[in-house]
């Protein structure tokens, strides 16, 4: 069965203004519209919401671990990770030089803070109960390395991956402005920066790093429509065929995406 990706009005307006230092010509511009079924109920801080909010989380935030096209874990913010034989001590080495959209550097303090938010009693993330039960403590070794100690053997890498929505948020910013303000004016390090939101109508984001990630060969993230999410969440095998047309100055002039899935 073949499903053609379509767009409609409302929900998320994604303004494609790519800020890439290596391209000196005029910035590309345009709008990509992504439709959500959670109209008016979008929560912009990861631990506050459920997987239905992931389409815009995936644009705003980065994750420790991502997935390749064949479903294997690949480095994202974590350049490498190791576990002891009993799977009770996990060490993560972080990518250096990653900046949040407000200019703050992303460090192990932010990762520890984000995991602890995900473990809060009021966290709505699907893995929150498991994390509370499994994690004993998180130790910061240095600004770019942290160790997660668990009470029981546990697959920490899986739970902290892109699949479960634990996006990394800036500790300093949230502690300064408070969770309420931060949830209305989110700051992440992902490929899009928050611009504005009109409740029940749209969330507007500015694309900052899409082309840069292509040039640096870092993972490219794809946001799905609710129909496509259903097929992937329910474990149906899916294949994405994406074509993008760019001019020499980096302007995206065409985009086409087909999704093929095994309906069985």
């Amino acid at each position: 069965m073949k499903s053609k990706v379509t767009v409609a009005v409302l929900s998320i307006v994604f303004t494609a203004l790519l800020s890439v230092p290596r391209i000196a010509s005029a910035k590309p511009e345009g709008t990509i519209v992504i439709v959500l079924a959670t109209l008016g109920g979008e929560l912009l801080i990861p631990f506050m919401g459920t997987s239905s909010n992931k389409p815009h989380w995936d644009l705003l935030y980065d994750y420790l671990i991502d997935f390749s096209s064949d479903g294997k874990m690949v480095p994202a913010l974590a350049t490498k990770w190791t576990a002891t034989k009993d799977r009770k001590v996990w060490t993560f080495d972080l990518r250096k030089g990653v900046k949040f959209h407000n200019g703050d550097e992303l460090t192990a303090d932010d990762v520890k803070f984000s995991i602890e938010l995900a473990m809060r009693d009021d966290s709505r993330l699907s893995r929150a109960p498991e994390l509370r039960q499994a994690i004993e403590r998180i130790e910061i070794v240095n600004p770019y390395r942290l160790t997660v100690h668990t009470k029981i053997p546990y697959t920490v890498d899986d739970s902290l991956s892109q699949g479960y929505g634990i996006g990394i948020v800036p500790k300093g910013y949230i502690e300064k402005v408070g969770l309420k303000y931060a949830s209305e004016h989110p700051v992440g390090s992902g490929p899009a920066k928050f611009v504005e939101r009109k409740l029940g109508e749209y969330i507007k984001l500015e694309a900052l790093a899409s082309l840069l990630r292509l040039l640096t060969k870092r993972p490219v993230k794809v946001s799905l429509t609710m129909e496509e999410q259903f097929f992937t969440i329910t474990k149906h095998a899916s294949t994405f065929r994406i074509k993008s047309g760019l001019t020499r100055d980096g302007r995206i002039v065409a985009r086409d995406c087909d999704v093929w899935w095994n309906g069985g």
Side-chain angles (χ1 to χ4, degrees), residues 64-79:
L64 277 183
I65 299 170
D66 222 316
F67 289 96
S68 63
S69 58
D70 57 358
K72 295 179 180 178
M73 290 185 186
V74 295
L77 288 176
T79 57

Side-chain angles (χ1 to χ4, degrees), residues 221-259:
K221 298 175 181 178
V222 178
S223 291
L224 307 179
T225 65
M226 292 304 296
E227 181 185 23
E228 294 152 11
Q229 284 188 68
F230 169 79
F231 284 95
T232 54
I233 290 171
T234 54
K235 312 283 187 201
H236 288 263
S238 302
T239 300
F240 291 83
R241 181 178 298 161
I242 301 174
K243 297 178 181 178
S244 294
L246 285 78
T247 60
R248 291 180 65 87
D249 65 358
R251 185 187 300 270
I252 298 176
V253 293
R255 181 160 177 92
D256 183 69
C257 176
D258 293 331
V259 181

Side-chain angles (χ1 to χ4, degrees), residues 7-176:
V7 294
V9 294
L10 299 183
S11 285
I12 292 184
V13 179
F14 184 71
T15 306
L17 297 175
L18 305 182
S19 177
V20 182
R22 295 169 65 179
I23 295 176
S25 354
K27 293 180 181 178
E29 54 187 336
T31 300
I32 300 172
V33 182
I34 303 172
V35 180
L36 300 179
T38 56
L39 187 62
E42 302 85 16
L43 297 167
L44 303 182
I45 296 290
F47 85 94
M48 292 181 169
T50 63
S51 59
S52 64
N53 292 274
K54 276 190 89 279
H56 49 277
W57 290 350
D58 287 353
L59 295 171
L60 286 167
Y61 302 104
D62 279 318
Y63 301 93
L64 277 183
I65 299 170
D66 222 316
F67 289 96
S68 63
S69 58
D70 57 358
K72 295 179 180 178
M73 290 185 186
V74 295
L77 288 176
T79 57
K80 66 176 181 178
W81 56 96
T82 57
T84 54
K85 190 174 181 180
D86 62 1
R87 293 190 303 164
K88 293 176 71 175
V89 180
W90 292 77
T91 300
F92 296 86
D93 288 331
L94 303 181
R95 192 179 302 279
K96 297 179 180 179
V98 177
K99 300 283 188 180
F100 286 109
H101 301 147
N102 65 351
D104 294 345
E105 185 178 14
L106 190 154
T107 68
D109 278 323
D110 303 296
V111 176
K112 180 177 185 287
F113 179 74
S114 300
I115 297 171
E116 289 172 344
L117 283 180
M119 295 169 59
R120 284 171 48 135
D121 289 339
D122 58 348
S123 173
R124 298 176 62 196
L125 292 172
S126 62
R127 284 292 171 101
E130 283 188 24
L131 292 172
R132 287 193 291 267
Q133 182 181 20
I135 293 180
E136 181 179 39
R137 72 183 191 278
I138 303 170
E139 174 189 0
I140 295 176
V141 180
N142 62 50
Y144 306 106
R145 174 177 288 184
L146 73 157
T147 301
V148 179
H149 299 263
T150 64
K151 307 168 196 172
I152 56 175
Y154 188 64
T155 52
V156 174
D157 56 346
D158 181 53
S159 290
L160 299 185
S161 68
Q162 184 269 352
Y164 293 99
I166 302 180
I168 305 305
V169 298
K171 176 184 178 183
Y173 171 71
I174 291 178
E175 288 183 338
K176 179 180 179 180

